[in-house]
Amino acid sequence: MNAIQQKLERLHAFFAPLESVMVAFSGGVDSTFVLKVAHQSIGDRVLALTTTSPTMPDDDHQSAVEMARLIGARHLVIESNELEVPGYAQNPINRCYLCKHNLFTVCEAKAGELGIATIVDGLNLDDLTDYRPGVQAAGEKRVRHPLVEAELTKAEIRELSRSLGLPTWDRPASPCLSSRFPYGTEITPDGLLKVGEGEKVLHALGFKVARVRYHADVARIEVEPGQVARLLSPELRETIDRELKRIGFRFVTVDLKGFRSGSLNEGIVAAGKPGSAD
């Protein structure tokens, strides 16, 4: 048995003795893999819980529903608007902590109501090398990290997901829409709608990885560096400019560096303050 298979066995061993489990489930690469292995290990003793809100891309909600159905796991969807969490809409540097604390509070309450003993998430080993304020929230709510305990990296999770037939194995990261707003810029329902609709335009044009960064009247587009030239081709440039202005932006710009996770944190990190990946 090779090292990655040993880690998979370790993950199964994590779940096997647990009486009941709730997975904080986004439908992304990591939580889908966690749910799949948990369901293989303990069947209907696992429940997936997804919270939906205006900060969640529409595709993510659909993915969560479809992945839970594909796996055959029980799935609970609860509406939870982070914009109603005190301080969240002001977009402080600890915004991700407020979001995760809210998510795990919902999980904690529902687990208590249903008599579920253990709550887990999809944090992986690589995440520990980045600033993850959600880890603090998880610790406060006694949420466990089975992928970390099994010492699984993102690349290994993708490889194992592929071997298990999970269509999420090559899915790009899809953080919440609030991550498109610079810290200190108020997060509003209208702004979230503009960002979400703008990214739908880019996805429909074949840009698999794309961000619309929100700067009030200005949309700053990021695509993968190798796709910037295509984005700037006359036909696409005109289409994107027209569609994003139709959505409500006055100006449409392109970040010439291309997409990089956490680009809105660059000034903060340079100043010696933490940021969060997006």
Side-chain angles (χ1 to χ4, degrees):
M1 185 183 298
N2 61 30
I4 193 171
Q5 289 298 323
Q6 289 177 345
K7 291 183 180 184
L8 179 59
E9 289 301 312
R10 197 180 306 161
L11 189 60
H12 279 290
F14 170 92
F15 288 113
L18 298 181
E19 189 175 304
S20 52
V21 174
M22 175 179 288
V23 177
F25 184 61
S26 68
V29 178
D30 299 321
S31 64
T32 296
F33 177 67
V34 168
L35 183 62
K36 174 68 174 181
V37 176
H39 190 258
Q40 286 181 330
S41 301
I42 61 175
D44 284 344
R45 283 155 42 206
V46 63
L47 171 72
L49 185 145
T50 302
T51 58
T52 63
S53 83
T55 69
M56 184 181 194
D58 291 340
D59 289 348
D60 287 13
H61 177 210
Q62 188 61 30
S63 175
V65 171
E66 290 175 356
M67 290 306 100
R69 184 182 300 124
L70 176 68
I71 291 167
R74 296 184 298 142
H75 188 206
L76 185 61
V77 179
I78 296 177
E79 186 173 347
S80 177
N81 189 349
E82 288 94 346
L83 296 180
E84 297 174 356
V85 175
Y88 181 92
Q90 284 67 52
N91 201 11
I93 290 177
N94 71 336
R95 179 197 69 230
C96 291
Y97 166 80
L98 297 175
C99 174
K100 289 295 187 182
H101 189 274
N102 179 67
L103 166 63
F104 296 140
T105 297
V106 172
C107 289
E108 183 182 52
K110 187 55 68 172
E113 177 186 326
L114 299 175
I116 295 176
T118 305
I119 302 171
V120 303
D121 68 2
L123 191 80
N124 68 59
L125 194 63
D126 291 335
D127 292 332
L128 298 182
T129 65
D130 192 11
Y131 174 68
R132 296 280 172 168
V135 175
Q136 178 187 345
E140 293 171 358
K141 296 296 182 179
R142 299 183 182 178
V143 175
R144 295 182 67 179
H145 315 301
L147 298 178
V148 173
E149 295 192 33
E151 300 182 333
L152 280 158
T153 66
K154 188 74 169 190
E156 290 170 335
I157 292 161
R158 289 189 183 278
E159 182 179 338
L160 288 168
S161 294
R162 186 176 188 178
S163 71
L164 291 171
L166 294 173
T168 50
W169 74 271
D170 64 344
R171 185 181 179 192
S174 180
C176 80
L177 296 175
S178 296
S179 67
R180 313 320 191 249
F181 293 69
Y183 290 118
T185 298
E186 183 179 5
I187 301 168
T188 65
D190 179 66
L192 291 167
L193 183 63
K194 287 178 180 177
V195 167
E197 290 301 309
E199 292 186 1
K200 284 181 184 178
V201 169
L202 296 171
H203 293 155
L205 291 171
F207 296 98
K208 189 174 182 181
V209 177
R211 299 287 187 270
V212 173
R213 307 294 187 186
Y214 181 90
H215 300 276
D217 288 341
V218 179
R220 176 167 59 89
I221 297 173
E222 292 179 15
V223 296
E224 292 175 291
Q227 292 289 308
V228 171
R230 176 172 173 261
L231 178 73
L232 293 174
S233 65
E235 182 180 350
L236 281 182
R237 185 178 63 205
E238 291 299 322
T239 298
I240 293 167
D241 183 74
R242 180 182 66 250
E243 289 302 307
L244 266 67
K245 286 179 177 175
R246 178 186 60 78
I247 289 166
F249 290 105
R250 288 185 62 199
F251 305 100
V252 181
T253 67
V254 176
D255 192 316
L256 297 180
K257 281 189 175 181
F259 169 75
R260 61 261 185 224
S261 182
S263 70
L264 287 176
N265 298 324
E266 288 169 355
I268 296 172
V269 173
K273 297 179 182 179
S276 62
D278 67 339

